[in-house]
Amino acid sequence: MKPSIVVSWLDLERLERILDRLPAAQANARDALLSELERAEMVEPWDMPPDVVTMNSRVRFRFAGSDEDVTMTLSYPKDMKDSGEQLSVLTPVGTALLGLRVGASITWQRPGGGTFEATVLDIDYQPERAGELHR
């Protein structure tokens, strides 16, 4: 069973616009993100709990079986740079992290088979917590 997630209506609106324009080749990414969004609790952006991974959050997480933390910014596809510090929400890991609370873990299906598990350890930056609702 997947953990509950929280998403602001503002992030949802932006993500739905992206999903509407995705080419057929990205149907799996679209379907995975839609599935996550369907089970999300919607909140006002200004009421977002400070311990939830939102779009443009800088999140520290760890994969099960690893001793190393990973810190990345959950990004919209249009904002992706080739920096290695960003994670597209359309990737399996990005989709899995969206809306999770600090301390929550999620197991997710890998595109080629098998699963991974990621645990949110901390959120270094969350736009809503910083009062930046129009990022």
Side-chain angles (χ1 to χ4, degrees), residues 54 56-59 123-130 132 135:
T54 63
N56 295 310
S57 288
R58 185 146 182 83
V59 58
I123 299 172
D124 296 338
Y125 167 79
Q126 183 205 61
E128 292 83 357
R129 185 172 63 204
E132 298 175 9
R135 70 246 181 261

Side-chain angles (χ1 to χ4, degrees), residues 59-63 66 68-72 121:
V59 58
R60 188 166 49 92
F61 61 98
R62 182 178 295 156
F63 291 106
S66 174
E68 293 185 34
D69 297 353
V70 178
T71 302
M72 300 187 93
L121 303 174

Side-chain angles (χ1 to χ4, degrees), residues 30-75:
R30 182 192 65 236
D31 293 347
L33 184 52
L34 279 172
S35 178
E36 287 297 286
L37 293 173
E38 286 173 0
R39 67 186 189 83
E41 172 191 348
M42 293 300 136
V43 299
E44 298 288 347
W46 47 86
D47 290 335
M48 180 59 68
D51 64 342
V52 172
V53 178
T54 63
M55 292 305 303
N56 295 310
S57 288
R58 185 146 182 83
V59 58
R60 188 166 49 92
F61 61 98
R62 182 178 295 156
F63 291 106
S66 174
D67 293 333
E68 293 185 34
D69 297 353
V70 178
T71 302
M72 300 187 93
T73 299
L74 185 62
S75 300

Side-chain angles (χ1 to χ4, degrees), residues 7-132:
V7 176
S8 78
W9 63 261
L10 189 57
D11 281 348
L12 175 65
E13 187 176 277
R14 291 173 178 156
L15 290 167
E16 285 177 336
R17 282 196 305 264
I18 292 167
L19 292 172
D20 286 344
R21 290 185 238 136
L22 280 181
Q26 291 184 294
N28 288 342
R30 182 192 65 236
D31 293 347
L33 184 52
L34 279 172
S35 178
E36 287 297 286
L37 293 173
E38 286 173 0
R39 67 186 189 83
E41 172 191 348
M42 293 300 136
V43 299
E44 298 288 347
W46 47 86
D47 290 335
M48 180 59 68
D51 64 342
V52 172
V53 178
T54 63
M55 292 305 303
N56 295 310
S57 288
R58 185 146 182 83
V59 58
R60 188 166 49 92
F61 61 98
R62 182 178 295 156
F63 291 106
S66 174
D67 293 333
E68 293 185 34
D69 297 353
V70 178
T71 302
M72 300 187 93
T73 299
L74 185 62
S75 300
Y76 294 101
K78 69 176 182 61
D79 297 332
M80 293 293 296
K81 314 264 187 293
D82 194 20
S83 68
E85 296 180 6
Q86 294 173 295
L87 178 64
S88 172
V89 70
L90 294 179
T91 64
V93 176
T95 296
L97 291 175
L98 178 65
L100 286 182
R101 290 182 180 271
V102 171
S105 297
I106 188 167
T107 301
W108 200 257
Q109 192 72 30
R110 291 180 185 269
T115 60
F116 69 81
E117 181 179 335
T119 301
V120 176
L121 303 174
D122 197 13
I123 299 172
D124 296 338
Y125 167 79
Q126 183 205 61
E128 292 83 357
R129 185 172 63 204
E132 298 175 9

